[in-house]
Every structure is written in C-alpha cells, then in structure tokens.
Amino acid sequence: MMMMIGWGSLLLMIMMIMIVMVVVLVMKENGLTGVKYSYSDVISKSLKVASAFKKSGYKPGDVIAVFSTNNPEYLLVYIAAAAAGLTTTTMNSAYSANELKFHLENSECCAIITTEELVSTVKEAVGTSETVKLKEIIVFGNSHGCRPFSTLVEDDGTALTEVYSGNAKEDVLVLPYSSGTTGLPKGVMLTHHNIVSNLLQLTILDFDTSDRILGILPFYHIYGMVCILFSIITNGCSIYTLPKFEPEIFLSTLSKNRITCAHLVPPLILFLAKHPLVEDHDLSAIRRIFSGAAPLGKELLLECKERLGVQEMIQGYGLTETSPVVHLSVPPIRHEGSVGTLVPNTAAKIIDPETNEILGPMQTGELCIKGPQVMKGYLHRPEATADMIRDGWLYSGDLAHYDEDGHFYITDRLKELIKYKGFQVPPAELEALLITHPDIKDCAVIGIPDEKAGELPRAYVVTNDKSTIREEDVLNFVKANVAPYKQLRGGVELVSEIPKSAAGKILRRILRDSYKNKLND
Ligand code: 4UV
C-alpha cells in the first residue's frame, strides 16, 4: 500500500470523482434547509476558503479551530485548511466556555469557526483567557463582530497559488483531543500520512458512488471526521448531514433519502432495535450499519440486524490516537460480536499488562498496535507520548483477545477513560473540577455500566469535616461547569476516604467492585 501521499493527493482524487454529486442536507431545529453541494462545489469552494485563509495571513503550521455541530460546510474547512497547510483542531460542540478555553489555549489556535448559537460561548471563553490570541471569529451564518464564513467562500481564490504539499509524515493535518489512557485531554497530532493511510486502509470496505451515507455522528470526533466525512471523499458517496439526534428527524432522514449506510454508536443501534417509532419508517434501503466507539453486544447487534433486515452489521475498533481504524469486521462476517481483523499494514499484539509477556490466542491482555495510522504524538506532551507509544507500539489501554482465526474481541478497559454514548469523559477532568469545590477534600470518578449509554460517570467524594454539602449539591456543581454529556448521571456517593495505592494512585477497580457489590446486595 502506498503510504506517502498527502492530503493534496486526496484533493486530486476528489477532482477525479467530481462528476458525482455529494448531496448534503442541513437539518436545523426548525426543519430542513436543504443545502446541496456537488463534489465540484466542494473542491472549488474549499480552494476559495483556502485562499481567504492565506489572505488573512495564516501560514503553514497555524491551527484553526472548528467549534460546531455538523453541517455541510465542515468539510470545506477541513479541505481548505489542508490546502493552505493549516492544522484543524476540533472540539465537542457541547463544551462549556471553560472547557473551550482550555482547548483554545492548549492548541494555540489563531482563528475559530463556529455557529451563530455558539458565538456567545466562544466570546466568553476568549474573554476570560489571558493567553488565547484569536485573530478572528468566523461564523457559519451571521453574528455581530464575527466574520461570516460566506465571505471566505466568496473569495476570488487568487491567494492560493498551489495546494500545500509539505512533509506528509511531519505536518499535522488534524488535531482532535483525547485523554488517552490517563489525565486531561491532549491534542492528538495526526499527520497527512496518518490520515491518508487510514483512509486507504478503510478502502477494504466496498462503498461506491451510489451509496448514501448518514452524517449524524459528530464531525469533530475522529469517528465522524475520518470514517464518515473524509471517507466519503475516497469513495465518492453522498452524505446527508444532521446536527443532532432527534428521533423523528433521524428516522425520516434515513427513510426519505434511502440511506444505504448508517455509521452509528451502540446507543443509536439500541434505538433502532427497540424504539416503536422505527416501525413507521421504511428503512429497507439500509444495507449496512457501522458501529464503533464503544462495545456493541452480540445480542443487540443481531436484534437490530433482524428488525431492520440489514445485510451487514460492521464493527470498527480504534482510537483517536490511531486515526482511528485498527480493526474492522469486513464482510462476510463470521464472528458477530468481534471487532474483526486487523486492517492492512497493521500489526497487533496482546500482552500481559503485569509482565509485558506476549500472549497467544484466547488469552486476555492489553492490546498494542503498530501501523502507519498511529499518531505522531500528543501536542506539547512528550512524556505522555512516550508513555503511550513504547518501542513503536501504541499501548491502547484496552483489554482484548483474539481467536484462532485472528478475530479480535475487546473485553474491558484498563485505562481510566469513561465513555458516555461513545463520547470521552476523562475522570481526571471531573476530579480536577470537583476538587476546586471548597467543601471537597478528595474525590474519584469512575464509569458504571448502563444499558442505554454504555457507561455513566459516578463520583465518590470526601467532604471537609464541617461541610454540610449533600450529593445533590455536588451534582449541581458539576452540572453548572461541564458539557451535558459529562454530568454525573451515575450519581454521587459521599465516602470517608478514597482507596489509593501506596503511590497515591486512585484504585478505581475497588470502587467499581464496591459499586457492583452494592447492586447485588
Ligand atoms: O479515542 P476514542 O474516542 O476513539 C473512538 C474511535 C471510534 C471508532 C469508530 C469506528 C471505527 O471504525 C474505529 O476504528 C474507531 O471512539 O476512544 C477510543 C476508545 O473507545 C473504545 C476503546 O476503549 C478505545 O480505546 N472503543 C472504540 N471502538 C470500540 C471501542 C469498539 N468497537 N468496541 C469497544 N470499544
């Protein structure tokens, strides 16, 4: 597989398939706006935006942030930034001003592109920061004091004399954030080489130009970014974008547009398998459902497959740090419940986390990964990078095993990370917030299992001696400070101490076991 091509080559690929229409619909809260771009629109508009970036003085290596729900223009920004040699950083559109401030400071971005609804959050984040130095706020739509994105699309294109082609293995194309195995979110440096490699690895799935793809998963997260948005480019499919999940709009988008492939996460698959509304919609065009980001149980997979009559339920496994795809259950699928086999040009090993000994088939240990899709590293965090990538192997923090046929099964997580509906909730972030409360002297956050969401964050809190705060106060404190998906939906428990190792590390396993035991009592 040829791995040294950069994003510029991808642009050429787009030009080759320009004759194919990309149909993109924006659903806003009050209905369907129906904006459509063809592939030739996408390429010509992106190059104009790239020219506008150049006129604004942004240079190769500069970072542009996108803080937005899904819309068709998201793709223009990614391609424009790549063509101008810029890096695009993305963040969850549900972020609070404080969360956004951390991201903007850490990524040192020079401009942000956002929506009308989110401008106030951006202004609050920027206003409270001493180090964020944005040259401009660009807005999809119109907002006082912000530059409309439409003016970039209307640029005359003259400042972009050539598409940037630098060093594909060094230049960072995208900078999503992940907490990795421990600690606070970190910028994951994914190069042109990483992303193009993963897109080529994904071509083992047979999409074609007649496929109509659903773009409901967020384009800021690696799954939506690469497996959905970028991969339509390599396949020449059409994409129908949705900014958020609303049952009726979700189902009617699937049925009216005869969607052939839906990339989903397990909570949405649960919805399709169980919700009564599904019966009112004709979903017979769906030939393939794709699941990733969190475990999908075999029973649920089969229930959804049977109810919808879908031919293929494909699972993908990977991490933000692996661009993301490492495993795919490529049809014909013989082992439902498995995340499949390794994608081309990728190696894996399962090791005993205690001894580092390499384990054989059917033995559970930590999954380690090697391949061209493994990140360059974490931004400004050489020690965290060295901890995650050792001797060329990325230590995933996931527990897994493989069978005699080379099919992998993800069974548990060694790392701290909590996943709520596929979204990352780093316990360290909630712990850092809780400890700022004047009445809290120690705390720990774990994930507890939940049928609908996968996991829910739950806090254990030690209060100061004279404190009178109750569980509810802790819940409200967190609610006021973080994005809704990070709230302590698993509850709060006031305890007298947090179990810790001799080195002071929180013993989360003890808390998880004590929660399980309580449930069983
Ligand atoms: O960093 P991140 O938020 O990355 C992701 C990546 C998702 C996808 C989606 C479709 C793919 O084809 C693909 O390759 C990857 O969510 O979180 C990484 C962690 O999420 C869990 C696991 O704990 C990772 O370390 N995870 C991701 N995919 C799966 C999964 C899965 N299929 N089954 C179980 N856990």
Side-chain angles (χ1 to χ4, degrees):
M1 187 176 286
M2 228 271 285
M3 289 300 177
M4 276 307 293
I5 64 172
W7 189 265
S9 318
L10 267 188
L11 289 173
L12 285 177
M13 270 191 238
I14 304 173
M15 288 173 182
M16 281 158 56
I17 47 178
M18 266 194 313
I19 31 155
V20 181
M21 289 288 284
V22 180
V23 185
V24 272
L25 302 178
V26 196
M27 312 277 281
K28 285 210 171 152
E29 250 179 78
N30 54 359
L32 187 74
T33 65
V35 176
K36 289 185 188 185
Y37 294 128
S38 66
Y39 268 91
S40 60
D41 290 337
V42 169
I43 194 75
S44 65
K45 288 178 194 303
S46 302
L47 296 180
K48 286 179 175 190
V49 174
S51 166
F53 283 153
K54 290 217 143 202
K55 286 184 191 165
S56 293
Y58 306 136
K59 295 181 296 302
D62 282 349
V63 180
I64 297 265
V66 188
F67 180 48
S68 174
T69 43
N70 286 3
N71 61 28
E73 290 74 24
Y74 220 118
L75 183 58
L76 307 187
V77 178
Y78 278 127
I79 297 177
L86 313 179
T87 300
T88 306
T89 190
T90 54
M91 66 283 281
N92 195 309
S93 56
Y95 266 9
S96 67
N98 248 338
E99 291 163 328
L100 179 64
K101 182 171 109 170
F102 168 81
H103 193 121
L104 297 181
E105 288 175 347
N106 191 268
S107 60
E108 297 170 352
C109 57
C110 56
I112 188 165
I113 305 178
T114 190
T115 63
E116 292 171 1
E117 296 77 16
L118 295 174
V119 165
S120 57
T121 311
V122 174
K123 288 188 174 165
E124 192 182 335
V126 176
T128 52
S129 171
E130 286 171 12
T131 53
V132 174
K133 290 193 182 64
L134 291 183
K135 284 194 192 154
E136 57 186 342
I137 301 174
I138 300 166
V139 67
F140 296 123
N142 267 301
S143 186
H144 178 69
C146 303
R147 181 173 179 196
F149 185 71
S150 56
T151 64
L152 283 81
V153 176
E154 284 153 14
D155 187 273
D156 63 9
T158 51
L160 187 81
T161 47
E162 58 180 353
V163 169
Y164 178 78
S165 63
N167 183 335
K169 282 199 166 175
E170 285 302 319
D171 296 339
V172 179
L173 176 63
V174 288
L175 184 70
Y177 273 60
S178 163
S179 68
T181 54
T182 182
L184 298 176
K186 297 170 274 290
V188 180
M189 295 190 285
L190 297 174
T191 62
H192 287 248
H193 175 76
N194 290 146
I195 297 294
V196 174
S197 298
N198 210 226
L199 287 172
L200 292 175
Q201 291 168 317
L202 261 172
T203 56
I204 45 170
L205 291 176
D206 64 329
F207 284 102
D208 67 51
T209 53
S210 63
D211 269 308
R212 291 177 299 279
I213 311 286
L214 182 72
I216 189 171
L217 298 183
F219 298 153
Y220 54 74
H221 181 253
I222 197 72
Y223 184 4
M225 182 195 295
V226 175
C227 305
I228 307 178
L229 197 56
F230 293 173
S231 92
I232 64 148
I233 300 174
T234 43
N235 293 305
C237 317
S238 308
I239 185 168
Y240 294 72
T241 70
L242 281 180
K244 63 176 177 184
F245 173 73
E246 284 177 55
E248 186 55 51
I249 295 179
F250 169 63
L251 291 169
S252 57
T253 303
L254 287 171
S255 59
K256 280 190 196 142
N257 302 298
R258 308 286 299 156
I259 295 292
T260 60
C261 175
H263 293 77
L264 303 175
V265 285
L268 291 176
I269 293 175
L270 182 72
F271 172 86
L272 287 178
K274 308 257 186 209
H275 203 284
L277 262 182
V278 173
E279 299 297 341
D280 304 339
H281 296 266
D282 174 9
L283 305 183
S284 59
I286 303 178
R287 69 176 178 106
R288 173 177 282 175
I289 287 183
F290 206 99
S291 176
L296 176 66
K298 185 173 172 178
E299 295 70 28
L300 177 57
L301 180 153
L302 292 174
E303 205 178 329
C304 180
K305 185 176 180 193
E306 196 157 310
R307 187 181 197 198
L308 269 54
V310 176
Q311 296 153 32
E312 294 165 357
M313 297 285 296
I314 297 182
Q315 288 209 56
Y317 162 85
L319 302 83
T320 306
E321 289 82 350
T322 56
S323 300
V325 189
V326 176
H327 293 85
L328 279 178
S329 57
V330 180
I333 298 162
R334 285 176 295 134
H335 300 263
E336 264 133 352
S338 157
V339 293
T341 50
L342 286 163
V343 294
N345 266 18
T346 303
K349 62 180 181 182
I350 303 285
I351 58 150
D352 181 324
E354 304 288 321
T355 62
N356 264 357
E357 180 201 346
I358 297 179
L359 303 175
M362 303 312 289
Q363 290 183 298
T364 299
E366 184 172 5
L367 170 62
C368 304
I369 302 147
K370 198 183 252 189
Q373 70 274 52
V374 171
M375 66 169 176
K376 178 176 170 184
Y378 290 121
L379 182 71
H380 309 316
R381 296 294 304 275
E383 46 342 291
T385 307
D387 203 40
M388 184 112 184
I389 306 175
R390 287 171 257 154
D391 292 330
W393 288 95
L394 179 129
Y395 284 65
S396 70
D398 288 314
L399 287 175
H401 66 263
Y402 60 92
D403 62 22
E404 300 286 351
D405 286 344
H407 286 78
F408 283 73
Y409 300 79
I410 309 297
T411 49
D412 203 350
R413 222 176 275 143
L414 264 181
K415 56 189 169 190
E416 286 175 3
L417 183 66
I418 299 167
K419 282 231 142 172
Y420 172 76
K421 296 189 174 173
F423 292 115
Q424 288 202 5
V425 181
E429 207 181 321
L430 291 175
E431 287 157 5
L433 170 67
L434 285 167
I435 209 70
T436 64
H437 191 292
D439 284 12
I440 295 177
K441 68 174 179 194
D442 204 0
C443 62
V445 174
I446 59 163
I448 57 165
D450 179 74
E451 197 206 349
K452 280 194 176 152
E455 283 176 295
L456 301 175
R458 175 178 175 84
Y460 293 82
V461 165
V462 184
T463 57
N464 287 325
D465 299 341
K466 292 196 180 122
S467 162
T468 55
I469 59 161
R470 301 151 63 113
E471 289 85 348
E472 208 180 302
D473 303 311
V474 179
L475 287 177
N476 289 335
F477 174 67
V478 170
K479 203 170 177 175
N481 285 286
V482 298
Y485 70 94
K486 291 184 194 160
Q487 284 168 30
L488 297 170
R489 289 188 170 79
V492 172
E493 194 171 323
L494 302 182
V495 292
S496 56
E497 70 174 327
I498 301 293
K500 292 204 178 138
S501 70
K505 205 168 180 297
I506 297 170
L507 297 171
R508 294 175 205 277
R509 178 71 55 197
I510 294 185
L511 292 172
R512 275 198 284 268
D513 289 346
S514 109
Y515 177 78
K516 261 190 223 154
N517 293 339
K518 257 194 188 165
L519 276 188
N520 295 335
D521 278 350

